[in-house]
Amino acid sequence: MHERGRGTVRGLPEWDRCAVMGVVNVTPDSFSDGGRWFDTTAAVKHGLDLVAAGADLVDVGGESTRPGATRVDEDEEQRRVVPVVRGLASEGITVSVDTMRASVAARAVAAGATLVNDVSGGLADPRMIPAVADVDVPFVVMHWRGFSEDMNSRAVYGDVVAEVLAELRERMDAVVDGGVSAERIVIDPGLGFAKHAEHDLALVAHLAQLRTLGRPLLVAASRKRFLGRVLAEGAAGPPPARERDAATAAVSAIAAHEGAWAVRVHEVRATADAVRVARAVEGAL
Ligand code: PMM
């Protein structure tokens, strides 16, 4: 869908539709699937299963960023992430590393990761941007206002879309000034990070505006609180995270239709179908 400008990322394969990024959280306490893949062998197998289900790339993370989470120790994060990255990369899978630490990013890249996904957009670790520039791999710049411990207090916006756009533009400039080539950048609105449900929904409603930043867009709505809030309407309360996959796939279809470059999801199958339906519909335009 080049005519709609999905965009390409130098150093990554080109897909003819919105790509599907499957999530492997190697954490005991992740927001939505924590504890299930907290072992190298199980985590690698889970990544392979995600690819078999239709994932184009796999995002491996060792630190939970759910609201209120405290930080994991650096050595522990490396121990969790690096062997899983190595195991998946050695199977020929395109692997992304989800980390806010330059040291973990560098080791994961040495182990075969080809994309660094930093939810802080390079803000959490001053060594991150130079490290990414040095290894010269693609970099996800997500909208972020602070660590998970107290991020909800930063969810204050006048115009969330305009502010996220402006803050992302600032981060993109800083990343490029730091030596990362612009063609390597992917942007991400950071759904659920210092955002309440109404902010997340407004961002999903205005993905086209984020596309004006001129870089490929990653959308990560999977199982997040705002979907719980949407599904809670008329029900007894929000369903647990693992019961939000159909809602996640609905966002995947919307995001793909709006020109997202990739969607990041825990349950791949339904989203793999959603992005294919979006491509077929675009093809019929
Ligand atoms: N969200 C989480 C983790 N990593 N990475 C990007 N680029 N964007 C996100 O929104 C994002 C992320 C938190 O979700 P999880 O704990 O359910 O994986």
Side-chain angles (χ1 to χ4, degrees):
M1 285 316 300
H2 296 283
E3 58 277 26
R4 292 194 61 208
R6 204 175 292 293
T8 56
V9 184
R10 188 154 67 76
L12 288 178
E14 265 188 60
W15 295 281
D16 66 345
R17 51 164 170 71
C18 178
V20 180
M21 176 188 275
V23 179
V24 175
N25 282 320
V26 197
T27 58
D29 65 340
S30 171
F31 160 65
S32 52
D33 61 358
R36 299 193 66 200
W37 321 115
F38 190 55
D39 161 280
T40 300
T41 313
V44 170
K45 180 174 183 313
H46 183 52
L48 294 172
D49 289 347
L50 293 177
V51 170
D56 300 296
L57 64 168
V58 174
D59 189 39
V60 179
E63 175 170 39
S64 171
T65 49
R66 77 184 194 295
T70 50
R71 299 214 63 193
V72 67
D73 165 70
E74 180 165 340
D75 290 342
E76 173 62 15
E77 189 187 352
Q78 281 189 17
R79 266 195 298 277
R80 292 177 185 179
V81 161
V82 173
V84 179
V85 168
R86 185 175 295 113
L88 290 171
S90 72
E91 297 286 338
I93 291 168
T94 301
V95 180
S96 144
V97 60
D98 185 343
T99 184
M100 290 186 273
R101 289 194 170 104
S103 61
V104 176
R107 285 187 188 213
V109 169
T114 50
L115 171 67
V116 174
N117 174 24
D118 176 1
V119 298
S120 81
L123 282 168
D125 182 347
R127 296 164 304 169
M128 179 62 95
I129 295 170
V132 171
D134 186 45
V135 292
D136 197 21
V137 292
F139 187 54
V140 176
V141 176
M142 199 192 83
H143 178 261
W144 187 82
R145 284 185 167 182
F147 291 103
S148 301
E149 265 172 334
D150 60 354
M151 67 180 171
N152 286 344
S153 67
R154 298 177 214 262
V156 181
Y157 300 90
D159 178 337
V160 65
V161 177
E163 286 168 51
V164 166
L165 208 71
E167 289 168 35
L168 273 176
R169 184 173 286 123
E170 231 171 77
R171 287 316 300 153
M172 285 170 60
D173 289 347
V175 166
V176 170
D177 286 348
V180 177
S181 114
E183 299 84 63
R184 298 279 207 198
I185 294 176
V186 173
I187 54 165
D188 181 333
L191 300 176
F193 286 81
K195 291 164 195 88
H196 297 312
E198 68 267 26
H199 303 134
D200 293 324
L201 288 168
L203 288 163
V204 173
H206 294 95
L207 292 175
Q209 282 196 45
L210 294 170
R211 294 288 295 113
T212 64
L213 289 172
R215 292 303 305 150
L217 177 66
L218 172 63
V219 176
S222 189
R223 299 181 175 174
K224 283 187 175 165
R225 281 169 303 160
F226 79 101
L227 295 178
R229 175 77 76 80
V230 169
L231 298 175
E233 280 167 25
R242 281 191 205 108
E243 288 171 27
R244 300 175 194 167
D245 288 330
T248 299
V251 179
S252 296
I254 293 169
H257 188 67
E258 289 303 314
W261 167 79
V263 285
R264 177 186 180 278
V265 294
H266 301 87
E267 195 278 321
V268 159
R269 183 57 214 276
T271 279
D273 286 355
V275 298
R276 282 165 177 80
V277 169
R279 174 180 56 188
V281 169
E282 285 158 9
L285 276 176

